[in-house]
Structure formats: structure tokens, C-alpha cells
Amino acid sequence: LFATMPELSPRQAFLILNALPNIGPITLNRLLAELGGNPCHVLTAEPRRLEEVKGVGPVISATLRDWRTHFDLAREELRMAQARAAFVTTGDAGYPRLLKEISDPPIGLYQKGDYTFDLPAVALVGSRRTTLYGQGVAKRFAADLARLGFCVVSGLARGIDTAAHEGALSAGGKTVAVLGTGIDLIYPPENLALYRQIEQSGALVSEFPFGRRADRQSFAMRNRIISGMCEAVIVIETDVSGGSMITARFAGEQGRLLFAVPGRIDQPSSAGCHQLIRDGATLLTSIDDLLAELSYLDGFRPAAAVPRDAAAVPSGQGGLPADEQGVMDAFRGGAILSVDELASATRRPASVVSATLMMLEIRRLVAKRADGRFEARA
């Protein structure tokens, strides 16, 4: 039934299978299950045996038999060594536990960084074309989660993803970036410094071989991994056709908790979140909402992270972040102020003040009046 292949180790065979074209993860997992879990057997089985497996036809069996024409193993191993990357398979202790439970887990992940996926994980995702409000929410929620001992997972994209990674790092926590490209390609290129920070403090992972460029399919495949390795997914800003809606759909299919952050009703970047809330996602206004859903009991919460620098997340005398406390101070004495008046009083740009006011409204500390001005709630 099996030809001999002494020159390949199981890990090398996993690496080959993962990189072969036109064979999806569902089919790969079926092949492994049918052939005893040994990837070498998948590469050496007779075509007739392979084609007994559901979803495998002559094209796939030929690809498996002639894998050397599709994949240069020696070059891939050299690239991995140069990049200091590992290939973690489903049988390894470092493979994300929850990811094994989805219907189509990748048979292996390229990984840079030493994080061992031992913390409960929460995904923060959202639009690339985000607002200051969305960026502020993402950074704050990610920092809160990191300080509580969660790992923050996102996709290293512009906008919300970038803010989420930065927020977790600012609190000295762990963060994982799941890439929609080969692990050697940094996309977007302006996130090179962030890529390096994540490698030092968490992990970068991808199921794609070196050199694989991004496309619509690769990002969708990436999104199922983001939700699959997490206990919950938080969508912060997205329009109704954004890629984060795909992540939200995967979260529902995988049985993950799904949260959405509300935004302005006239802001297209919040339309997707509002749709998710209408469709049953849990409205999220603080990390306390997530903790209540996860039902963590005392003694079972993750251990709190040690802050890298106490000054990294400044807070005012009222326990609020310094920017919010500065705005709240302007309302002392019952003042009723416009955005421009607050900008003048706090010496901050009006756009920054508007984002801060949105957070204070969510916290129910300020209210917007009919005339467009703001006042502190009693």
C-alpha cells in the first residue's frame, strides 16, 4: 500500500502537504484521518487508495504523487532557518488548542516568536478604514484584556488590527498576529516595526508557505484562524461588506462568543457592527461585558499581566485614562460645552476630543444635548 520514503520526516511531510496547491484543509484532514495520521503515508499511498477518500480525485492524487514538481522542500527549509521560523503541527503542544476544534483546522502553522498559546485568547477585529473613535476603543480594550491576562489576536492589517496589537503591547501583554500572506511578507509594509515587536513579545503565524501573497481567498482563510483560536471575537468597526463580517460569521459557525461595539448611527464604518447586534451579537461597551459572558470565576481568571511601564497607560485621579479625565475636568461646576470649547479647554484637536467624548458617552459619564453640546451626567 505504501511506498518507502525514508528521506522524509513526518514534520517535513506535513510541510509538503500544507503547501500543495488545490488541496484544502478539510481534504488534508480527511486524508490524514484515513491513513492513520501519518503524513508520509499520504504522500506515498497508491492513487487508488487516495481516491477512496471523499473529495480526492485524480487531480489531487496526482498532485500528491508528484509533489516535488509543486514544492521545493529544501528551499522552504532554508527560508525557515533564515527567518528563524518554526512549523507547528496539530500534534505539537504549541498548536493552539481551540483551533483544533474547528471543522477545517490548518494541519500546521508557520510561527515566528516564542509564545506558546497558553493564555485564553480574544480576537479584536475591524475595518482598515477606521475612525479615531474605533482606534481608541481597540487600543483601550486590547490593553484591558492584556492586563487581565488574555492574549489579544488580530490580523496585523491597517486600522483596528494595528490598534489592537499596539494596545496589547502597551500593557506588556501577549498578542498574536495571524497573517494572510506567507510569514516572510509584511503587509502592510508600514507595520514592519510592529511586526518585529510582536515577534519579540508574542507570535506571528500563517498557514501559507513562504512567498505567498495576499488575495481575497487568503484573507478569508486567515479570518477562520483568527476566530478559531479564540474564545471570543470582538468586532469594533466594520461596514456591512467588510472582511470582519467574515470573521464574525466564522465565529458563529465555530461556536465562539461574538461581540460588537456600537458606534454612530450615521457612520458607515459602524453599520456592520449594528447589523451584527441586530442579528444577535452581544453589544459590548466594556471588557466587563465580555467577562460576564465568559463567566470566569475567582481563581479561574487568567493571571494578570505585569505592566511593562506604569506610565504606559496613564490615568487621572478619577481612575479614567488621562485624556478622558482631562475632558471630564472641563465639565466641573456644571459646564455645558461644545466640542470646540472642549478642544480649547483641553488643548487637544477637536477630532481627538470627539473620539474621547464617544468613549465617555459609552461609559455613561457624559450626555449629548439636543443643541449638540455636552454635559456631565449627574
Side-chain angles (χ1 to χ4, degrees), residues 51-63:
E51 291 168 24
E52 292 174 356
V53 177
K54 181 180 179 181
V56 178
V59 173
I60 290 179
S61 65
T63 298

Side-chain angles (χ1 to χ4, degrees), residues 191-208:
N191 274 352
L192 172 60
L194 181 59
Y195 177 103
R196 290 172 173 168
Q197 284 182 285
I198 294 171
E199 182 180 0
Q200 293 299 317
S201 302
L204 301 133
V205 299
S206 173
E207 69 177 311
F208 302 111

Side-chain angles (χ1 to χ4, degrees), residues 79 83 112 179 181-187 195 206 208-212:
R79 287 176 165 181
K112 292 183 70 174
L179 309 185
T181 65
I183 204 164
D184 58 323
L185 300 180
I186 300 167
Y187 183 83
Y195 177 103
S206 173
F208 302 111
F210 279 71
R212 168 66 185 270

Side-chain angles (χ1 to χ4, degrees), residues 9 23 26 90 92 98 108 148-149 177 184 187 192 214 217 243 253-254 278 299 302 321 330 338 341 350:
S9 69
I23 310 179
I26 291 178
T90 52
D92 293 327
L98 288 178
L148 287 167
D184 58 323
Y187 183 83
L192 172 60
Q217 180 185 23
E253 293 173 352
Q254 295 164 351
R278 287 196 304 271
S338 68
E341 289 168 336

Side-chain angles (χ1 to χ4, degrees), residues 305-321:
V306 178
R308 177 181 302 164
D309 182 355
V313 188
S315 61
Q317 294 180 350
L320 294 172

Side-chain angles (χ1 to χ4, degrees), residues 127 129 237-245 268-273:
S127 176
R129 296 180 296 275
E237 274 189 333
T238 182
D239 59 35
V240 294
S241 60
S244 297
M245 299 294 280
S269 60
S270 291
C273 289

